[in-house]
Amino acid sequence: MIFGFDKGELKILLIERNEEPYKDWLALPGYFVEQQESIDEAAARILYELTGLRGIFMEQFHTFGEVKRHPQGRVITVAYFAMIRLSGAKELKPVTNYAKKAFWHPVESLPELAFDHSVIFNKALQKIKRKIAYQPIAFELLPEKFTLTQLQTLYEAVLNKKLDKRNFRKKMLNYGILKELDEKQKGVSYRAAKLYKFDKRKYAKLFKNELSF
Amino acid sequence: MIFGFDKGELKILLIERNEEPYKDWLALPGYFVEQQESIDEAAARILYELTGLRGIFMEQFHTFGEVKRHPQGRVITVAYFAMIRLSGAKELKPVTNYAKKAFWHPVESLPELAFDHSVIFNKALQKIKRKIAYQPIAFELLPEKFTLTQLQTLYEAVLNKKLDKRNFRKKMLNYGILKELDEKQKGVSYRAAKLYKFDKRKYAKLFKNELSF
DNA sequence: TTCACTTAGTGTACAAAGTACAATATTAAT
DNA sequence: ATTAATATTGTACTTTGTACACTAAGTGAA
């Protein structure tokens, strides 16, 4: 599951299947592990083959092993997720023909997905909501330079609720993992906001015992 | 991985293997998933076969999928963990002969285990330490009725550090998930402490969005 | 019955983190 | 100069976490 953030909305990367079963349905990107690759490697390879995306760090999430998940046989799925920035609107182009196309879809109002992928997706979304509350994982979703308002909008999208501006800023700046830049937003027709960068080194010190990154 | 708590020590359930490879080595209990069972069911069945323990709720933890984990072929392991009370010292008796015996071992000073089980174990221990800090999962390790001092000793064992008595009590009682009983400890040669019970219903309300139980 | 011993049980002052709330500052466009 | 839009800032209060030491209660031995 690849999450992205664009125009104030949290989005998930889906594919349109080009194979039976569930041909033409929407699904989470996924395929089979090969004999000579680890499951982490398989996740990276399959993401590339289905979407053209490379070099994205994915975190293992949960393994789904009910007996009748796949209509044609026993399949156990190890699910991963990642959060990425959608800046520059990278082209999404399947390299194999298992998928017809890949595209971003808002996490709200997701249609029913192939197999039990809706179940998998909902479990992941819940986890992200829990996680973002105590761990600033959201920076991966933003462009490299961002304003505090953009960051807040992202949090509001993920948590699906309004946050207080002053308190949000106080908290984020207190983490000490934001670097204030000497630059301002450009191209807006109102007061331009300061730009910030996410400081990965400080983040690593703070959360070295945690999972992400 | 089944964790237990006894005599102030956190312990882990190990088996002595009775099959090649790693015959006679110590290992975490585990075996193969059958075609017609879910991975959750397999975990429960295998635990029973190797130790005689039944009806223990296990939480899925992580899936290990490196290529060369098993010397004789490709094996992907879905690891689970559980915490149980050791009251009454249930007998541990393998039902199959894959294991010679099953026994409890203190988590400190664990010998090297078969396969990559030491890696798996260490990752689980870390996770438990993190988790117990923000979620009172430790009650499963105690007898049904316990004193606050016993509870504190358990926390100290898991976290491997001393805690302040007054602050610990304040915090635990403030959670509102302990029921004070009209009973006292018996058989001690000093002032007997009040006994408490863990209130699962209140716990469920408080942590309904979390994983455990 | 008293005394010694062992653990149970308790409170206060301070620091840190979270929350509720609204006015002024800056810039662009007209 | 004015308007319109968003950026930026502080304070009072509540809640939570932390450091710290004495008294209470029960047992067992003399």
Side-chain angles (χ1 to χ4, degrees):
Chain A
M1 276 157 288
I2 315 297
F3 289 91
F5 179 68
D6 187 34
K7 302 195 188 90
E9 274 188 321
L10 188 63
K11 302 195 170 171
I12 177 85
L13 184 59
L14 298 179
I15 61 159
E16 189 175 333
R17 286 177 59 82
N18 199 23
E19 274 193 351
E20 291 294 349
Y22 290 99
K23 188 167 191 300
D24 304 330
W25 281 59
L26 301 185
L28 297 169
Y31 213 69
F32 298 107
V33 178
E34 301 285 349
Q35 278 296 330
Q36 290 305 319
E37 67 185 354
S38 72
I39 55 176
D40 292 358
E41 288 161 357
R45 172 183 58 79
I46 292 163
L47 179 65
Y48 171 67
E49 291 178 354
L50 294 181
T51 68
L53 294 172
R54 264 193 219 257
I56 291 173
F57 174 75
M58 287 185 277
E59 179 180 336
Q60 191 185 303
F61 159 56
H62 193 80
T63 297
F64 296 84
E66 294 302 314
V67 175
K68 302 156 308 189
R69 296 182 56 249
H70 194 293
Q72 298 176 342
R74 182 72 191 274
V75 174
I76 292 175
T77 289
V78 184
Y80 284 72
F81 72 72
M83 303 189 153
I84 68 171
R85 57 190 59 138
L86 294 187
S87 60
K90 281 164 201 148
E91 207 187 353
L92 295 173
K93 205 161 198 171
V95 176
T96 67
N97 59 357
Y98 308 140
K100 269 188 257 180
K101 59 176 176 175
F103 58 94
W104 295 100
H105 194 290
V107 298
E108 307 297 332
S109 77
L110 212 59
E112 210 197 322
L113 303 178
F115 307 106
D116 57 353
H117 287 190
S118 294
V119 173
I120 297 175
F121 165 77
N122 282 319
K123 192 163 175 144
L125 186 58
Q126 267 198 10
K127 173 155 184 173
I128 284 175
K129 285 188 186 185
R130 266 201 318 266
K131 192 162 179 168
I132 203 176
Y134 67 91
Q135 195 179 133
I137 54 175
F139 298 100
E140 292 294 304
L141 292 165
L142 289 175
E144 196 187 347
K145 300 172 184 178
F146 51 85
T147 69
L148 290 177
T149 299
Q150 284 167 357
L151 184 59
Q152 182 174 348
T153 307
L154 166 56
Y155 267 77
E156 290 176 343
V158 174
L159 297 174
N160 203 19
K161 69 176 178 191
K162 282 279 168 198
L163 301 174
D164 179 84
K165 186 154 50 160
R166 278 170 293 190
N167 294 337
F168 179 81
R169 283 163 183 247
K170 200 196 315 177
K171 184 169 175 174
M172 284 300 143
L173 294 173
N174 264 3
Y175 274 138
I177 56 178
L178 293 184
K179 222 186 313 191
E180 187 179 330
L181 301 176
D182 269 343
E183 269 178 275
K184 292 196 169 180
Q185 223 178 359
K186 277 178 186 160
V188 290
S189 67
Y190 45 79
R191 176 175 176 183
K194 273 184 214 153
L195 289 172
Y196 290 81
K197 241 176 135 168
F198 172 46
D199 187 333
K200 281 205 183 184
R201 290 176 58 196
K202 287 188 184 156
Y203 177 89
K205 276 188 197 170
L206 217 55
F207 290 89
K208 62 179 166 220
N209 291 324
E210 297 294 333
L211 305 160
S212 267
F213 301 157
Chain B
M1 278 157 288
I2 316 297
F3 288 91
F5 180 67
D6 188 35
K7 303 198 187 86
E9 273 188 321
L10 187 64
K11 301 194 169 171
I12 176 85
L13 184 59
L14 297 180
I15 61 160
E16 189 176 332
R17 286 177 59 83
N18 198 24
E19 274 194 350
E20 291 295 350
Y22 289 100
K23 188 166 190 303
D24 304 329
W25 281 59
L26 301 185
L28 298 169
Y31 212 70
F32 297 108
V33 179
E34 302 284 349
Q35 277 295 330
Q36 290 306 319
E37 67 185 353
S38 73
I39 55 176
D40 292 359
E41 289 161 358
R45 172 183 58 77
I46 292 163
L47 179 64
Y48 170 67
E49 291 178 354
L50 295 181
T51 68
L53 293 172
R54 262 193 220 258
I56 291 172
F57 174 75
M58 287 186 278
E59 180 180 334
Q60 190 185 304
F61 159 57
H62 193 80
T63 298
F64 295 85
E66 293 302 313
V67 174
K68 303 157 307 189
R69 296 182 55 250
H70 194 293
Q72 298 175 342
R74 181 73 192 273
V75 174
I76 292 174
T77 289
V78 185
Y80 285 72
F81 72 73
M83 303 190 152
I84 68 170
R85 54 188 61 135
L86 294 187
S87 61
K90 282 163 200 148
E91 207 188 354
L92 295 173
K93 207 164 198 171
V95 176
T96 67
N97 59 356
Y98 308 141
K100 270 189 255 181
K101 59 175 176 175
F103 58 94
W104 295 101
H105 194 290
V107 298
E108 306 298 332
S109 76
L110 212 60
E112 211 198 321
L113 303 177
F115 307 105
D116 57 351
H117 287 190
S118 294
V119 173
I120 297 175
F121 165 78
N122 282 319
K123 192 163 173 142
L125 186 58
Q126 267 198 10
K127 174 155 183 173
I128 284 175
K129 285 188 187 184
R130 263 201 320 265
K131 192 163 178 167
I132 203 176
Y134 68 90
Q135 195 178 132
I137 54 175
F139 298 100
E140 292 294 304
L141 292 164
L142 288 175
E144 197 188 344
K145 299 170 183 180
F146 51 86
T147 69
L148 289 178
T149 300
Q150 285 167 357
L151 183 61
Q152 183 175 347
T153 307
L154 166 57
Y155 267 76
E156 290 176 343
V158 173
L159 297 174
N160 202 20
K161 68 176 177 191
K162 283 278 169 200
L163 301 173
D164 178 84
K165 183 156 53 160
R166 278 170 293 191
N167 294 338
F168 179 81
R169 284 163 182 245
K170 202 195 316 177
K171 184 169 174 172
M172 284 299 144
L173 294 173
N174 263 3
Y175 274 138
I177 57 179
L178 293 184
K179 224 186 308 191
E180 186 178 330
L181 301 177
D182 270 343
E183 270 178 277
K184 292 196 169 180
Q185 220 177 2
K186 277 177 187 161
V188 290
S189 67
Y190 45 80
R191 176 177 178 182
K194 274 185 213 150
L195 289 172
Y196 290 81
K197 243 175 134 168
F198 172 47
D199 187 334
K200 281 205 182 185
R201 289 175 59 196
K202 287 187 184 156
Y203 178 89
K205 276 187 196 168
L206 217 55
F207 289 90
K208 62 180 168 222
N209 292 323
E210 297 295 331
L211 306 161
S212 267
F213 304 156

